Amino acid sequence: MNRWVKFLISGLFAFFCVSGAFAKSLSIQIIQNNPGQEKIWATSYLFEQNITDYFFDAGDIVSSSPIWISASEDKNKSALRASLDENRQGGMEVLVRVELFYDVKNSSNPDGLLLNNIKNVEWKAYALDTGREIFKGKAEPERVDSKNNNELGLSQFAGYIAYKINTQMKFQ
C-alpha cells in the first residue's frame, strides 16, 4: 500500500478512537406531568425523540428510558430509583430526567402538538456511579404565537432544552 494511504488510514483510525474517548453516555427519561392523564401524549414522545437525536447527532452514546407519567411524589421517587438502577446496570454515565409540565385548560387541542400546551420544562441530571444530582434547570416557552404554536415550534423548543442540558454537562 502507498505510504500516504497508510498514513491517512492511521490518522482516521486515531481520530475516531480519540473522539470516542470524549463521548458521553447518557440516558434520557421524559416525565409527563399532566394531572388526570393516563396516556402518554404525542408531545412527550416528540420531546424524547428530539432530545435523544440532539445528543446522538453530537456523537454521544444515548438511550432513553420509558416515558413516565407523573402520578405522585412517592411514585416518582420509586421510578427514579428504578431508572437509576436500570441505567447503572446498562453502563450509562448520566441519567437526565426531563419533566414536561402541561397546561391545557385553555387549549384548542390538548392532545395536539402545540407549543402553548407546555407550561414549562424542568430537568435534573444524575451521575449514575453515585446516584447524586449533578445539575438541574428549567425553561418555559418564551413567546407562543401562530407561527410557532405547532410541531416545528415544539421541536425547536425541545432542541433548545437539549442545548441547555448539553451546555450544563460540559461543565460537570
Side-chain angles (χ1 to χ4, degrees):
M1 234 195 260
N2 184 338
R3 193 170 97 201
W4 291 106
V5 173
K6 287 181 183 178
F7 179 74
L8 179 64
I9 291 172
S10 297
L12 286 172
F13 180 73
F15 171 75
F16 285 116
C17 288
V18 171
S19 66
F22 295 108
K24 300 177 287 292
S25 65
L26 68 148
S27 180
I28 306 295
Q29 183 176 39
I30 301 296
I31 311 298
Q32 179 176 293
N33 190 318
N34 189 10
Q37 268 305 313
E38 295 181 13
K39 70 174 187 170
I40 297 172
W41 281 7
T43 299
S44 297
Y45 286 117
L46 182 120
F47 261 79
E48 177 185 47
Q49 186 63 51
N50 277 274
I51 292 172
T52 302
D53 286 351
Y54 179 95
F55 285 100
F56 180 79
D57 291 345
D60 296 319
I61 301 163
V62 63
S63 71
S64 60
S65 296
I67 295 174
W68 176 258
I69 297 175
S70 178
S72 70
E73 195 59 36
D74 288 339
K75 288 185 178 181
N76 288 350
K77 288 179 183 178
S78 172
L80 171 61
R81 282 191 299 276
S83 191
L84 287 170
D85 290 341
E86 172 188 308
N87 285 291
R88 188 176 299 118
Q89 291 173 5
M92 303 308 272
E93 295 172 296
V94 177
L95 169 66
V96 180
R97 296 183 92 205
V98 179
E99 189 164 3
L100 306 175
F101 290 87
Y102 287 85
D103 182 9
V104 295
K105 292 178 197 124
N106 300 321
S107 177
S108 61
N109 184 1
D111 290 337
L113 293 168
L114 300 175
L115 185 58
N116 72 350
N117 288 342
I118 298 292
K119 179 180 176 183
N120 67 310
V121 177
E122 296 179 8
W123 59 89
K124 292 182 181 176
Y126 300 87
L128 290 170
D129 58 348
T130 64
R132 292 197 172 142
E133 182 181 305
I134 53 176
F135 65 83
K136 63 183 177 178
K138 182 177 181 177
E140 56 187 53
E142 288 185 13
R143 182 185 47 162
V144 180
D145 57 29
S146 61
K147 294 177 184 175
N148 68 355
N149 194 24
N150 52 37
E151 185 174 350
L152 178 60
L154 276 170
S155 292
Q156 290 172 338
F157 185 56
Y160 172 72
I161 299 298
Y163 167 78
K164 297 287 281 180
I165 292 168
N166 191 40
T167 301
Q168 287 179 296
M169 286 185 74
K170 287 180 182 179
F171 295 106
Q172 295 305 313

